[in-house]
C-alpha cells in the first residue's frame, strides 16, 4: 500500500493499537464500553471532555489521559499496542477525508480520498477473480470448470453496502462492468463459455436482479464468455437447492468479511449447505479475525487442517505442512484505512486478510497444548488476541 509506505510502514498496518490489558475486567463486565467513543480511551471513564486535537476521532476524560495515550514510550506489553501514536493519528485523520469522499465525489473532495474509497469497492471483484486465477488450491476445480466450459460462483452474505458498492439498484452498471473486467483473464485462461455469479444475502436489493455482460477474449478473436449475474435477498441455506427456482450448486463460494465468530448471528444453516470439495475464498478485515475463522471452520469440520502459519500463531499441532490452503495478507485489498467502531485506536482495511482453499474433512492429529506464539515483532507489532472489538 503506497499510503503505508509514505508513513514508513511498508505494508504493515498497525491494526490493534488501543491499550486494553489494564481494562480487561471493566471490558468484560460492561460490553457496552467503546473506548475512545463513549468512554475515555485510556481509563474507561464515561465523563468525556476532550478529544484528539488533530484527528478529532478519539475521546478522553482529561488532557492528562489524552497525553498519556500519545506517549509512545508507554506500551501495552501484553498486546504490543502503542496507543494514539502519530502514525495512528495520521491514518485516523485520513478517515475523515474518506468518509466525506464516500458521500460526495464532487471536485471539492480530495481526489486521493476518492481513489482510496474506490479501491475498497474494487477489492471485491479484484480479490474474487485474482485469487481464483492464482491460487494453486483451485487447479482441480478450474480444470473441471474448463472441461464443462462453465463456472458457478456464489457470493454468500452479499450486501448493497459492500459487494454492490453502496449503489442504488438503478445505478449498478459500473459494478457489473467491474466484475466483468476482473473476471476476463480467468474466463479466457480457462476457456469458459459462461460464468454464473450469484450474489446472495439478506442485505441484497429487495428486487432480484438478473443481468448479463459479454466478456471478450483478447487472445482468441471472435470468442467470448457470458457473465450472468443474479442477486437474491435471502439467507443462504440448503433450501436454495430445492424447488422450482433451485440454484445450481457452486464450484466456489466467496464470503467477504463473514464474521463467523460474531455472537449476533449463526452461520450453521449456511455452512451445513456447503459440500466437501467445494472451493472457498474468505476475507477478513484483520489478522485476528482470519485466525478466528480458521479455528471456527476447523471446529465445524470444514477444514482438513490449519494453514501452518495460523497453527504456529495459535500454538497447535493441527497443521499440515503440505497444505495448499492460502492464509495471509490479501494483495488485492484496497488502500482505504478504517477506524474500528469499538476501539478508537484500532484500524483495519476491508478484505485485507485472506483464507482460501477447498473444504475437506479434518485430519486426525493429536493436539498438544503449547504456549501462544506471537505473529509479529517490532515497533508496530500486531499480536493482540483479546480485543473484544474483533471477536
Amino acid at each position: 500500500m503506497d499510503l503505508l509506505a509514505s508513513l514508513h510502514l511498508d505494508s504493515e498496518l498497525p491494526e490493534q493499537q488501543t491499550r486494553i490489558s489494564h481494562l480487561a475486567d471493566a471490558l468484560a463486565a460492561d460490553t457496552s464500553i467503546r473506548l475512545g467513543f463513549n468512554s475515555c480511551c485510556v481509563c474507561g471513564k464515561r465523563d468525556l471532555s476532550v478529544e484528539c486535537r488533530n484527528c478529532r476521532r478519539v475521546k478522553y476524560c482529561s488532557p492528562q489521559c489524552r497525553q498519556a495515550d500519545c506517549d509512545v514510550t508507554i506500551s501495552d506489553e501484553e498486546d504490543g499496542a502503542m496507543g494514539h501514536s502519530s502514525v495512528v493519528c495520521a491514518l485516523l485523520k485520513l478517515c475523515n477525508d474518506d468518509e466525506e469522499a464516500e458521500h460526495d465525489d464532487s471536485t471539492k473532495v480530495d481526489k486521493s480520498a476518492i481513489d482510496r474509497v474506490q479501491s475498497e469497492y474494487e477489492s471485491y471483484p479484484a480479490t474474487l477473480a485474482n485469487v481464483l486465477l492464482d491460487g494453486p488450491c483451485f487447479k482441480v476445480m478450474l480444470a473441471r470448470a474448463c472441461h464443462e466450459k462453465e463456472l458457478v460462483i456464489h457470493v454468500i452474505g452479499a450486501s448493497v453496502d459492500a459487494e454492490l458498492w453502496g449503489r442504488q439498484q438503478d445505478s449498478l452498471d459500473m459494478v457489473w462492468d467491474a466484475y466483468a473486467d476482473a473476471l476476463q483473464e480467468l474466463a479466457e485462461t480457462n476457456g469458459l463459455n459462461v460464468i454464473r455469479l450469484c450474489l446472495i444475502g439478506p442485505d441484497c436489493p429487495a428486487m432480484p436482479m438478473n443481468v448479463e455482460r459479454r466478456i471478450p477474449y483478447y487472445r482468441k478473436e471472435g470468442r467470448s464468455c457470458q457473465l450472468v449475474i443474479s442477486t437474491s435477498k435471502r439467507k443462504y441455506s440448503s433450501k436454495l437447492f430445492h424447488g422450482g427456482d433451485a440454484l445450481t450448486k457452486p464450484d466456489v463460494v466467496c464470503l467477504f468479511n463473514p464474521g463467523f465468530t460474531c455472537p449476533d448471528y449463526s452461520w450453521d444453516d449456511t455452512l451445513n449447505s456447503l459440500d466437501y470439495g467445494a472451493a472457498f475464498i474468505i476475507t477478513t478485515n484483520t489478522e485476528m479475525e482470519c485466525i478466528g475463522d480458521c479455528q471456527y471452520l476447523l471446529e465445524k469440520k470444514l477444514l482438513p487442517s490449519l494453514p501452518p502459519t495460523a497453527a504456529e500463531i495459535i500454538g497447535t499441532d493441527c497443521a499440515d505442512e503440505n497444505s495448499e490452503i492460502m492464509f495471509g495478507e490479501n494483495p488485492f485489498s484496497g488502500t482505504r484505512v478504517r477506524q474500528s467502531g469499538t476501539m478508537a485506536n484500532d484500524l483495519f482495511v476491508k478484505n485485507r486478510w485472506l483464507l482460501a482453499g477447498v473444504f475437506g474433512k479434518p485430519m486426525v492429529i493429536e493436539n498438544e497444548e503449547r504456549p501462544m506464539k506471537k505473529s509479529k515483532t517490532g515497533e508496530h507489532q500486531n499480536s493482540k488476541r483479546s480485543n473484544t472489538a474483533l471477536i
Side-chain angles (χ1 to χ4, degrees), residues 33-80:
I33 292 177
R34 298 168 62 234
L35 293 177
F37 296 105
N38 65 5
S39 55
C40 177
C41 198
V42 173
C43 68
K45 290 181 180 178
R46 296 280 187 166
D47 183 19
L48 302 175
S49 59
V50 297
E51 63 185 5
C52 172
R53 287 171 290 195
N54 185 39
C55 70
R56 301 191 179 280
R57 297 184 72 94
V58 186
K59 295 180 172 60
Y60 306 94
C61 69
S62 66
Q64 290 76 19
C65 277
R66 178 171 62 190
Q67 182 58 44
D69 202 25
C70 297
D71 189 349
V72 295
T73 63
I74 302 173
S75 67
D76 189 323
E77 293 184 1
E78 179 183 339
D79 297 319

Side-chain angles (χ1 to χ4, degrees), residues 49-116:
S49 59
V50 297
E51 63 185 5
C52 172
R53 287 171 290 195
N54 185 39
C55 70
R56 301 191 179 280
R57 297 184 72 94
V58 186
K59 295 180 172 60
Y60 306 94
C61 69
S62 66
Q64 290 76 19
C65 277
R66 178 171 62 190
Q67 182 58 44
D69 202 25
C70 297
D71 189 349
V72 295
T73 63
I74 302 173
S75 67
D76 189 323
E77 293 184 1
E78 179 183 339
D79 297 319
M82 298 301 295
H84 198 65
S85 66
S86 59
V87 169
V88 170
C89 186
L91 290 169
L92 286 176
K93 191 173 182 180
L94 290 178
C95 291
N96 297 324
D97 298 336
D98 295 347
E99 288 170 4
E100 183 181 0
E102 186 174 22
H103 300 100
D104 181 6
D105 58 0
S106 67
T107 56
K108 299 178 182 178
V109 179
D110 178 26
K111 186 179 184 303
S112 297
I114 295 174
D115 291 342
R116 289 193 296 271

Side-chain angles (χ1 to χ4, degrees), residues 17-252:
Q17 297 302 313
T18 307
R19 298 166 177 149
I20 65 168
S21 64
H22 64 293
L23 296 171
D25 292 341
L27 292 170
D30 186 355
T31 57
S32 69
I33 292 177
R34 298 168 62 234
L35 293 177
F37 296 105
N38 65 5
S39 55
C40 177
C41 198
V42 173
C43 68
K45 290 181 180 178
R46 296 280 187 166
D47 183 19
L48 302 175
S49 59
V50 297
E51 63 185 5
C52 172
R53 287 171 290 195
N54 185 39
C55 70
R56 301 191 179 280
R57 297 184 72 94
V58 186
K59 295 180 172 60
Y60 306 94
C61 69
S62 66
Q64 290 76 19
C65 277
R66 178 171 62 190
Q67 182 58 44
D69 202 25
C70 297
D71 189 349
V72 295
T73 63
I74 302 173
S75 67
D76 189 323
E77 293 184 1
E78 179 183 339
D79 297 319
M82 298 301 295
H84 198 65
S85 66
S86 59
V87 169
V88 170
C89 186
L91 290 169
L92 286 176
K93 191 173 182 180
L94 290 178
C95 291
N96 297 324
D97 298 336
D98 295 347
E99 288 170 4
E100 183 181 0
E102 186 174 22
H103 300 100
D104 181 6
D105 58 0
S106 67
T107 56
K108 299 178 182 178
V109 179
D110 178 26
K111 186 179 184 303
S112 297
I114 295 174
D115 291 342
R116 289 193 296 271
V117 171
Q118 186 62 27
S119 75
E120 180 181 275
Y121 292 148
E122 292 178 356
S123 71
Y124 293 96
T127 296
L128 173 62
N130 288 291
V131 172
L132 281 175
L133 188 63
D134 297 339
C137 49
F138 301 129
K139 288 182 179 178
V140 173
M141 181 272 294
L142 289 176
R144 184 172 61 248
C146 181
H147 175 73
E148 297 175 357
K149 303 298 183 185
E150 182 173 326
L151 179 67
V152 179
I153 304 169
H154 288 181
V155 180
I156 301 175
S159 70
V160 171
D161 290 338
E163 292 86 349
L164 300 181
W165 301 11
R167 291 184 171 267
Q168 298 297 319
Q169 197 156 347
D170 59 354
S171 60
L172 285 167
D173 283 347
M174 178 186 294
V175 180
W176 308 141
D177 290 343
Y179 280 97
D181 289 344
L183 290 165
Q184 193 282 327
E185 182 68 19
L186 180 72
E188 183 166 359
T189 299
N190 293 280
L192 301 175
N193 292 336
V194 179
I195 296 177
R196 301 190 185 278
L197 177 62
C198 307
L199 296 100
I200 305 160
D203 295 322
C204 275
M207 291 291 293
M209 301 188 70
N210 290 278
V211 298
E212 295 186 6
R213 286 291 186 274
R214 176 180 170 273
I215 302 177
Y217 282 10
Y218 296 140
R219 297 186 297 273
K220 299 175 183 178
E221 187 175 350
R223 288 201 58 186
S224 64
C225 173
Q226 197 73 6
L227 174 62
V228 181
I229 306 173
S230 63
T231 67
S232 180
K233 184 180 175 64
R234 49 184 170 171
K235 186 176 179 181
Y236 196 93
S237 69
S238 57
K239 295 179 181 178
L240 297 178
F241 306 108
H242 304 285
D245 59 347
L247 292 177
T248 302
K249 281 280 188 177
D251 298 300
V252 57

